[in-house]
């Protein structure tokens, strides 16, 4: 049971108190991901409140992505989406570790290739110059959440190979190890529907949206170092943007 008290004399609506109570237990881990919370009847009996009040709280929790009602099973706690702060230049690994998560990757491809026109333009290199191509599955806490394709300029004098870069390596840490300070990045984000290839690689269904992100990362002198294309499962990942100041209206 919930093991808490609802104040029926409070100005805060009972359904909202119940919402906050359950939300708190989800966020602090008392109600684990994919576990089933107490039934509406159990909650109604514990607090001596109406079924309508309980249903309103559960409905709001479902609307906000905390739970999902499944017929014949009950109300299930949904996995929490992982946030990424857009105001900071972080690698996937660095961002995850800063939030207490365990990042890992599965390297599918690591080789030098001729760049496409798009990649050569992003990295501001000639079509005859080679780039290092990395293709990696991205995991958080051992759960698959996306796929990353990265193209790294070779003009900085280092090579990425299977001998010096593995599934636990952070690309940004690897680059900075060679004395290359990373300064800034241009990033674009959009929601897309997955291609057949993405559906196969990420093991997702037809109607699962993808958060697609392109990034060009520059060194401290403004020279492009790497260009990446990233596809994250929409149900697993979301972004947090901090706006310093709003101008105009």
């Amino acid at each position: 049971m919930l093991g808490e008290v609802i104040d029926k004399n409070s100005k805060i609506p009972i359904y909202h108190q119940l919402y906050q109570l359950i939300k708190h237990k989800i966020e602090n881990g008392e109600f684990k991901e994919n576990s089933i919370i107490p039934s509406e009847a159990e909650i109604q009996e514990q607090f001596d409140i109406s079924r309508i009040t309980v249903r309103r709280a559960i409905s709001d929790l479902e609307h906000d992505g905390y739970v999902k009602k499944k017929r014949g099973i009950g109300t299930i706690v949904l996995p929490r989406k992982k946030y990424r702060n857009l105001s900071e230049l972080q690698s996937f690994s660095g961002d995850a570790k800063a939030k207490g998560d365990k990042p890992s990757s599965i390297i599918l491809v690591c080789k030098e290739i001729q760049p496409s026109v798009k990649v050569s333009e992003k990295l501001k290199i000639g079509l005859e110059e080679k780039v290092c191509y990395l293709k990696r599955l991205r995991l958080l806490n051992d759960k698959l959440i996306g796929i990353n394709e990265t193209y790294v300029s070779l003009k900085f004098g280092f090579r990425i190979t299977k001998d010096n870069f593995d599934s636990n390596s952070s690309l940004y840490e690897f680059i900075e190890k060679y004395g290359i300070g990373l300064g800034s990045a241009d990033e674009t984000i959009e929601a897309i529907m997955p291609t057949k290839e993405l559906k196969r690689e990420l093991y997702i269904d037809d109607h699962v949206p993808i958060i697609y992100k392109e990034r060009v990362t520059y060194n401290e002198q403004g020279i492009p170092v790497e260009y990446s294309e990233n596809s994250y499962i929409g149900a697993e990942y979301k972004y947090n943007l901090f706006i310093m100041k709003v101008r105009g209206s």
Side-chain angles (χ1 to χ4, degrees), residues 41-103:
E42 290 173 325
I43 296 173
Q44 180 186 2
E45 180 179 358
Q46 178 183 352
F47 295 110
D48 190 24
I49 56 180
S50 71
R51 180 66 69 90
I52 293 176
T53 298
V54 177
R55 286 180 176 172
R56 171 64 188 274
I58 299 299
S59 177
D60 286 355
L61 286 163
E62 185 171 25
H63 177 270
D64 293 343
Y66 289 96
V67 300
K68 179 71 175 177
K69 294 178 69 173
K70 291 194 175 182
R71 187 182 299 275
I73 298 176
T75 302
I76 299 173
V77 178
L78 294 175
R80 300 302 298 139
K81 291 186 178 183
K82 303 303 180 182
Y83 286 85
R84 188 184 180 287
N85 192 337
L86 294 185
S87 64
E88 299 177 359
L89 176 58
Q90 283 268 31
S91 67
F92 172 84
S93 298
D95 189 64
K97 290 175 181 177
K99 293 175 173 59
D101 290 313
K102 173 191 171 186

Side-chain angles (χ1 to χ4, degrees), residues 142-159:
D142 300 319
K143 184 175 184 179
L144 177 63
I145 67 161
I147 193 164
N148 161 266
E149 294 181 80
T150 301
Y151 305 85
V152 183
S153 174
L154 299 182
K155 66 171 57 178
F156 296 94
F158 64 86
R159 295 290 188 273

